[in-house]
Amino acid sequence: MKIHDKEVGFLYTVGAYCDYSDYVVANPNVSIATAGLHKAEIMSREYAKVNEGSEPVTVDEMRSLMVYELNDVLEAVKRAEAEGTKRTVETVDTGKKRKAN
């Protein structure tokens, strides 16, 4: 997604999970909105680490967004978090067929 003409992505890694958890513990009195901005910044930073040419978005940059734009950012964060916590299973074809009972 674009934020202030900058292409931004979000990635929910173990590092993002830990950094966000640490932020929440260290800042128990912040609003849900402010915590959401920090989560987006953290996940954006993780995305930028693995995607060459991507720049993370900062809390300050997001604070100047309109509320409807911030809602789009938070939805993108939510989708990335869901993707990052999705369990996948890889199967291997052994060539053997199973008998039906």
Side-chain angles (χ1 to χ4, degrees):
M1 78 178 308
K2 281 208 184 246
I3 299 175
H4 298 301
D5 296 325
K6 178 170 36 174
E7 192 62 40
V8 176
F10 303 99
L11 188 63
Y12 195 60
T13 62
V14 172
Y17 175 72
C18 291
D19 289 350
Y20 180 67
S21 295
D22 291 345
Y23 173 81
V24 170
V25 169
N27 300 280
N29 296 322
V30 300
S31 68
I32 292 171
T34 299
L37 290 175
H38 284 275
K39 186 177 209 176
E41 180 183 57
I42 290 165
M43 290 174 62
S44 174
R45 190 171 51 235
E46 290 296 304
Y47 180 87
K49 283 181 187 177
V50 298
N51 290 281
E52 191 176 314
S54 179
E55 260 188 78
V57 67
T58 66
V59 168
D60 286 339
E61 290 172 313
M62 289 182 284
R63 289 179 70 89
S64 66
L65 295 173
M66 300 302 293
V67 174
Y68 70 87
E69 293 171 308
L70 177 60
N71 289 338
D72 292 343
V73 170
L74 296 178
E75 282 299 317
V77 165
K78 190 186 299 185
R79 284 191 304 275
E81 187 174 2
E83 188 64 32
T85 57
K86 186 186 327 178
R87 184 176 294 205
T88 59
V89 177
E90 188 174 319
T91 61
V92 176
D93 184 5
T94 62
K96 296 180 182 179
K97 292 194 177 189
R98 208 169 161 188
K99 288 185 180 180
N101 289 332

